[in-house]
Amino acid sequence: MSSNENGAPRFPIPRQCPFHLPREYDEMRGTPQAGDVTMWNGQNVKVFTRYEDVKNVLADNRFSGNPAVHGFPSLSPARDAVLQAEPAFIRMDPPEHGRQRRMLTREFMIKRIAALRPHIEKTFVGLLEGLKARGNTAELNEDLFLPFTSTVIADLLDVPHEDHAFFQEKSHDRVLLDVDPSIPKAASAAILGYLEKLVEARMDNADGRDDIISHLIVDQVREGHLTQRELVVMADLLLMAGHETTANQMALGLHSLLTHPDQLEMMRNDPELIKSAIEEMLRFHTIVHYNAFRTAVEDIEYNGELIPKGQGVIALIAAANHDPNVFECPEKFDITRKADHHVAFSYGIHQCLGQPLARAELLTVFSTIFDHLPNLRLAIPAQEIQTKGDHFVLGLQKLPVVWDNE
Ligand code: HEM
């Protein structure tokens, strides 16, 4: 691990084991003050690792989530290139954040997502049947999970299916951390350009259509509450946020079950456990592991420490979800634990808007896949499975599996 002359480790701190958080998070959690880390550009940033502190910071609007505020932590030049693009509401502070987020609340309400369940299940089973028809092996990221999540979100926005490959490629380019900034920048520009044309074409025929873009055109753009460009940026956020994240969680969750056969058997014998297994996956992996970056917009006294205006901070939700004072033996993957108070979807005003959809998709996968693909197992030794280390969102490089076709 590299550190600066003050001994503060360089962030991101590498994982010693790919499926476990860096040990340094535990050390930081052991002291009452926030930890110190150094970013690639030499910037000092305060890191919160305790569950209560992470929640307190995320609930405190004196910490801004706007990357344009001076002092905002820089994760890498490639990540900066993404953040410097036009901000969607995920990067805004109140009141504008709430104004735009509220335009979408009803689209992701639990009741509305529950009504979509049959469509979501049909989509997934259709993809599973397609896999079986092609043989008894697959790489589940590319062959199943990404097509599934991208089809669902594209259907909600009514974005043509034939363009999925384009979105998958560009959204992948956008989460890379250690590449030339021109790569994520070009990917952002390509997606925004695509969506701009799509929104323009839909402006005149949105009436009577049942998709999120059309609802926003009729209720918000035509009423003067949202500009056409703001709608483009919002649609981009939904496409990106709702796609690679959930697919990565599926792959990691399935991997955990396949490498913990006792847990899988328990879940298969008692389907009531599927929901708690999903909460445990969300907690255990906390895939948005470099969330949430903030800047103090005024001097803040916290835990007897002064956090000066302009200080960059990181509220590490992954570390919070592994706080032993809140989750006993946090390094144990245990589907019977009650984990639903985890903060894998963040906390406070930016808490994930799409969580009912993510949960519905995860429930569909884990209540269906083992029946359709009997004796599902890894196709390569478990130690050869690699995580996506250089991505903003944690996932698996590949998940090759095999099953028995009847
Ligand atoms: C397992 C899957 C998912 C995980 C773990 C996840 C996690 C998160 C996290 C940690 C945040 C906070 C980000 C921040 O503060 O910077 C967030 C925000 C958000 N997520 Fe998700 N997400 C998932 C799936 C989805 C899906 C399916 C959608 C649907 C479109 C979605 C839409 C959003 C949106 C719109 C925000 C911004 C909320 C705001 O700023 O008010 N997410 N998500």
Side-chain angles (χ1 to χ4, degrees):
M1 175 190 70
S2 58
S3 57
N4 71 359
E5 67 261 20
N6 303 325
R10 170 88 178 263
F11 193 90
I13 304 172
R15 291 173 179 239
Q16 289 85 13
C17 305
F19 293 98
H20 293 282
L21 295 175
R23 279 194 296 272
E24 289 80 356
Y25 290 2
D26 294 331
E27 287 159 21
M28 288 182 192
R29 213 187 282 109
T31 58
Q33 280 78 34
D36 281 289
V37 293
T38 308
M39 309 309 280
W40 66 277
N41 56 0
Q43 181 189 10
N44 166 270
V45 168
K46 295 276 175 207
V47 178
F48 293 90
T49 46
R50 294 173 170 200
Y51 181 82
E52 281 310 320
D53 292 343
V54 165
K55 280 177 59 171
N56 287 339
V57 168
L58 292 176
D60 187 338
N61 291 338
R62 294 175 299 168
F63 290 105
S64 165
N66 177 353
V69 171
H70 181 71
F72 193 82
S74 168
L75 186 56
S76 76
R79 183 72 193 148
D80 285 354
V82 174
L83 295 179
Q84 278 154 13
E86 290 152 276
F89 64 86
I90 192 169
R91 302 280 155 246
M92 290 178 188
D93 293 328
E96 186 58 15
H97 162 266
R99 199 185 73 82
Q100 290 202 19
R101 179 174 165 127
R102 278 192 294 279
M103 295 179 187
L104 287 167
T105 323
R106 77 181 170 109
E107 303 288 353
F108 291 96
M109 273 174 6
I110 294 176
K111 246 169 85 178
R112 195 172 172 97
I113 299 298
L116 285 173
R117 265 300 288 284
H119 174 69
I120 293 174
E121 276 169 17
K122 198 165 152 227
T123 305
F124 189 62
V125 171
L127 287 163
L128 281 174
E129 294 302 327
L131 274 192
K132 283 166 75 171
R134 293 202 294 274
N136 73 331
T137 60
E139 192 290 291
L140 290 185
N141 279 338
E142 294 291 329
D143 296 341
L144 185 62
F145 296 144
L146 279 167
F148 174 45
T149 55
S150 65
T151 302
V152 171
I153 193 70
D155 282 350
L156 283 177
L157 296 166
D158 199 4
V159 172
H161 284 202
E162 55 272 23
D163 297 327
H164 287 181
F166 165 79
F167 282 113
Q168 271 170 39
E169 186 195 321
K170 299 296 170 205
S171 68
H172 170 264
D173 284 357
R174 247 205 321 207
V175 291
L176 294 170
L177 292 178
D178 292 333
V179 291
D180 191 285
S182 62
I183 295 175
K185 207 172 173 168
S188 289
I191 298 170
L192 286 170
Y194 173 96
L195 287 170
E196 192 168 318
K197 284 201 198 106
L198 187 133
V199 167
E200 178 64 38
R202 200 158 301 172
M203 281 302 288
D204 294 329
N205 62 2
D207 295 287
R209 291 177 71 129
D210 193 15
D211 63 86
I212 297 178
I213 292 180
S214 298
H215 297 163
L216 288 168
I217 289 175
V218 174
D219 298 339
Q220 309 297 343
V221 180
R222 287 196 194 147
E223 297 298 317
H225 306 313
L226 196 68
T227 66
Q228 207 172 309
R229 186 63 189 178
E230 284 168 335
L231 170 55
V232 168
V233 174
M234 200 183 261
D236 174 39
L237 168 65
L238 295 179
L239 262 179
M240 295 304 117
H243 166 201
E244 183 133 348
T245 41
T246 323
N248 284 353
Q249 183 64 73
M250 287 164 187
L252 282 162
L254 181 61
H255 175 264
S256 291
L257 287 172
L258 294 178
T259 52
H260 294 79
D262 56 325
Q263 305 275 313
L264 176 58
E265 198 189 327
M266 232 188 321
M267 194 185 87
R268 297 283 285 143
N269 291 336
D270 181 5
E272 292 286 305
L273 282 174
I274 298 177
K275 281 193 175 158
S276 68
I278 289 170
E279 298 309 317
E280 175 64 350
M281 290 168 194
L282 288 160
R283 177 200 75 83
F284 187 80
H285 301 294
T286 315
I287 57 171
V288 189
H289 55 154
Y290 298 141
N291 191 68
F293 288 22
R294 300 286 187 271
T295 315
V297 290
E298 55 184 83
D299 287 352
I300 299 168
E301 172 107 15
Y302 188 76
N303 274 353
E305 192 182 6
L306 176 72
I307 301 177
K309 179 178 177 181
Q311 171 69 49
V313 305
I314 304 176
L316 274 177
I317 56 173
N321 280 341
H322 287 254
D323 184 337
N325 290 320
V326 181
F327 302 100
E328 210 181 312
C329 300
E331 294 316 306
K332 188 170 171 219
F333 178 72
D334 175 5
I335 66 164
T336 63
R337 84 162 80 226
K338 200 172 154 17
D340 51 9
H341 50 306
H342 65 71
V343 285
F345 287 120
S346 195
Y347 190 76
I349 61 167
H350 290 289
Q351 185 168 151
C352 181
L353 178 70
Q355 54 187 293
L357 177 61
R359 286 194 167 100
E361 291 177 339
L362 288 162
L363 195 56
T364 299
V365 167
F366 291 104
S367 47
T368 317
I369 195 164
F370 300 106
D371 290 334
H372 280 75
L373 305 178
N375 195 14
L376 183 64
R377 55 207 185 271
L378 297 176
I380 59 173
Q383 61 274 20
E384 287 177 24
I385 304 276
Q386 288 180 8
T387 52
K388 291 178 182 171
D390 61 340
H391 288 49
F392 181 62
V393 179
L394 188 69
L396 294 178
Q397 298 281 8
K398 290 199 182 320
L399 184 57
V401 294
V402 55
W403 62 90
D404 298 337
N405 270 346
E406 297 92 49

